[in-house]
Amino acid sequence: MKDFSQLRKNLKKDFSGFKSLKVALLGDTSTQFLAQAIRGEGFDATLDLEIWEADFNQIEMQVFNTDSEMYAFHPDVIILFLSSHKLLNKYNKLKVEQQSSLATREIENIEAIVSTVSANSTAKIIYYNYNEIDDAVFGSYATKTETSFLYQLRKLNFELMNIANRNTNFYVCDVATIQNQVGKANFFHTSVYISTEMVLSLNVLPLVAQKTVDILKVLNGKLKKCVILDLDNTVWGGIIGDDGIENIQIGSLGIGKAFTEFQYWIKKLKNRGIIVAVCSKNTESIAKEPFEKHPDMVLRLEDISVFIANWENKADNIREIQRILNIGFDSMVFLDDNPFERNLVRENISGITVPELPEDPAEYLEYLYTLNLFETNSFSDEDKERTKLYQIEAQRVVTKQKFTKEDDFLKSLDMISVVASFTKFNIPRVAQLSQRSNQFNLRTVRYTESDIENLAKSNDYVTFAFTLEDKFGDNGLIAVVVLKKNSETDLFIESWFMSCRVLKRGMENFMLNTLTAYAETNGFKRILGEYIPTPKNEIVKDHYQNLGFVQENDLWSLSLKAYIERTNYITLKLQD
């Protein structure tokens, strides 16, 4: 990780070509250096963060005055930093009988802020939670009395999580965890605070900036989707081919405990929706044996989406994993104990994340925790089924190789798509897909759940959500189109995004047939589309041309007068 001076040097670098994002930063203490750290960290994340910084302690004035500079700035994201030290000052000035209601009053104020911002802006809110200050007035008894500051502070942090749970545009940045990691002496310097009103030390600013930018990245579709595992001395201790299944190190004794706990962590990632793959230099049957037979293995074959074990180059094997999963290398993390293999993969595969694992396996987890590799902004039931979905996709890839004609393969899949508008049941998945879809995304518009709820209610928009099922299994909701009624004759495709795991199955033709059928039934004459290029969506640059649209200036136009239904092998099923 870069220190603060290195992040400041980033500010002089060329941000052109990066994703631009407008960020408003408001705090009740000095935030100048924090703003610099966040913008510098943004450079390393290929984000051009245009930061507007309010004068300190102006949060209420900027939020509740709808003519304020903050609203005039039109931020994409608002960062709110209300510090524990100012909270303690407020607590100190309360009458004793008021101290037990501090957290409740603060929560009411935060909810008013969220409500006001939501009513006057589309900005997401990132709120820093409160690092702990124990004023030692009650000692350990502080945990037993509501009057204590520590009790109120912890209650406030808990209620912040509840606000985040209720509001889709509100995210808690967990800076309290950073203090737990580095210690209060490194987090806060008294002399600096007294002279400058800064409550974050220069040493901790890069950590806070990184945690903030992690959230900004996932809000803009930059997130990790897959972890690829080496096996020997990574998932278990020892070399399975030499030591045999009886002698590898896993379980509850000695260093085996470190590998077991590592496996539990991977299992939790899998249950959360992260794809788990294996890339090992091994004989496949020998590499699979512990997963099948060892009683202490936490991970089993059903937890692995793609399993590649051979004696080929690991970079080439990772490319094969990418081909099967059809996700970007920048959404992959490769974990390997061997420095040679790590460097080989780094040098040959651009974009992939390869952490420099410690030499001691006992330190793997604590090191990986600090990297926060798998930040997310959503979690759905479909995430829990992602491993199965990608295992099924691997079966499709193998089956496809048996066909000489692609049409014959597509016919054999027996594909069915359920088409529905946005509903309370599919809104979470639609929001998640909009955040995750980078490659097959024509305009790369990101939606929160509240955005989608508003679209569903609006008479100016028509919404479509598509699922896809075949003989191998159900892919779930895999594509979304949002149409805007530009006029009585024209429909504009505001968004068209799709999961890349269903590419080359004729879904684009099926979707266009569905859109044109709606348009013709409702008296529209044209469908207009737009392609906005990004560093990741080049695969759809010819999308409209391939579908028969004609370019008109910056837009693409499809006349319905002469439209001929496009060939596909997907059966339409309307939702009941």
Side-chain angles (χ1 to χ4, degrees), residues 6-13 15 35-37 39-40:
Q6 291 171 317
L7 290 180
R8 290 186 72 177
K9 289 178 181 178
N10 279 356
L11 303 181
K12 299 179 181 179
K13 296 179 180 178
F15 285 75
Q36 294 175 5
R39 178 161 169 78

Side-chain angles (χ1 to χ4, degrees), residues 153-221:
L153 188 147
R154 288 178 175 173
K155 179 180 179 181
L156 181 52
N157 275 343
F158 175 77
E159 292 298 338
L160 273 176
M161 292 189 290
N162 286 332
I163 293 177
N165 190 35
R166 294 193 298 268
N167 295 275
T168 57
N169 278 355
F170 184 88
Y171 302 87
V172 174
C173 183
D174 191 6
V175 296
T177 296
I178 297 176
Q179 179 171 295
N180 293 340
Q181 291 171 343
V182 304
K184 188 176 179 182
N186 293 314
F187 189 93
F188 172 75
H189 291 166
T190 306
S191 58
V192 174
Y193 172 63
I194 295 298
S195 59
T196 68
E197 283 283 332
M198 279 180 54
V199 298
L200 300 174
S201 72
L202 291 179
N203 292 336
V204 85
L205 281 174
L207 293 171
V208 175
Q210 181 189 52
K211 214 166 189 67
T212 306
V213 172
D214 282 345
I215 298 176
L216 295 175
K217 285 192 297 186
V218 298
L219 289 176
N220 286 273

Side-chain angles (χ1 to χ4, degrees), residues 55-113:
D55 293 337
F56 82 84
N57 217 17
Q58 297 291 309
I59 294 174
E60 282 78 8
M61 188 187 77
Q62 294 292 337
V63 169
F64 296 118
N65 175 13
T66 56
D67 294 324
S68 70
E69 296 171 83
M70 184 191 75
Y71 289 116
F73 177 63
H74 299 294
D76 300 300
V77 177
I78 297 170
I79 299 174
L80 298 176
F81 180 23
L82 284 84
S83 67
S84 300
H85 288 80
K86 294 295 183 181
L87 186 70
L88 179 58
N89 288 342
K90 189 180 294 187
Y91 171 87
N92 290 340
K93 295 174 183 178
L94 293 174
K95 296 178 180 179
V96 173
E97 59 269 21
Q98 296 175 319
Q99 290 173 343
S100 61
S101 60
L102 173 69
T104 299
R105 289 200 301 273
E106 290 300 308
I107 288 296
E108 289 173 353
N109 186 53
I110 295 167
E111 288 181 324
I113 289 173

Side-chain angles (χ1 to χ4, degrees), residues 549-569:
F549 284 65
V550 176
Q551 191 165 14
E552 296 180 1
N553 297 320
D554 294 333
L555 298 180
W556 292 85
S557 173
L558 180 70
S559 172
L560 302 181
K561 187 175 181 180
Y563 181 75
I564 300 174
E565 191 169 281
R566 301 183 67 85
T567 301
N568 65 85
Y569 303 101

Side-chain angles (χ1 to χ4, degrees), residues 292-304:
E292 297 169 328
K293 299 178 181 178
H294 200 295
D296 292 327
M297 280 289 289
V298 176
L299 294 173
R300 297 294 176 180
L301 288 180
E302 57 264 26
D303 298 315
I304 312 299

Side-chain angles (χ1 to χ4, degrees), residues 251-265:
S252 58
L253 299 176
I255 196 62
K257 184 187 300 183
F259 292 104
T260 295
E261 291 181 354
F262 175 79
Q263 288 190 37
Y264 273 117
W265 185 66

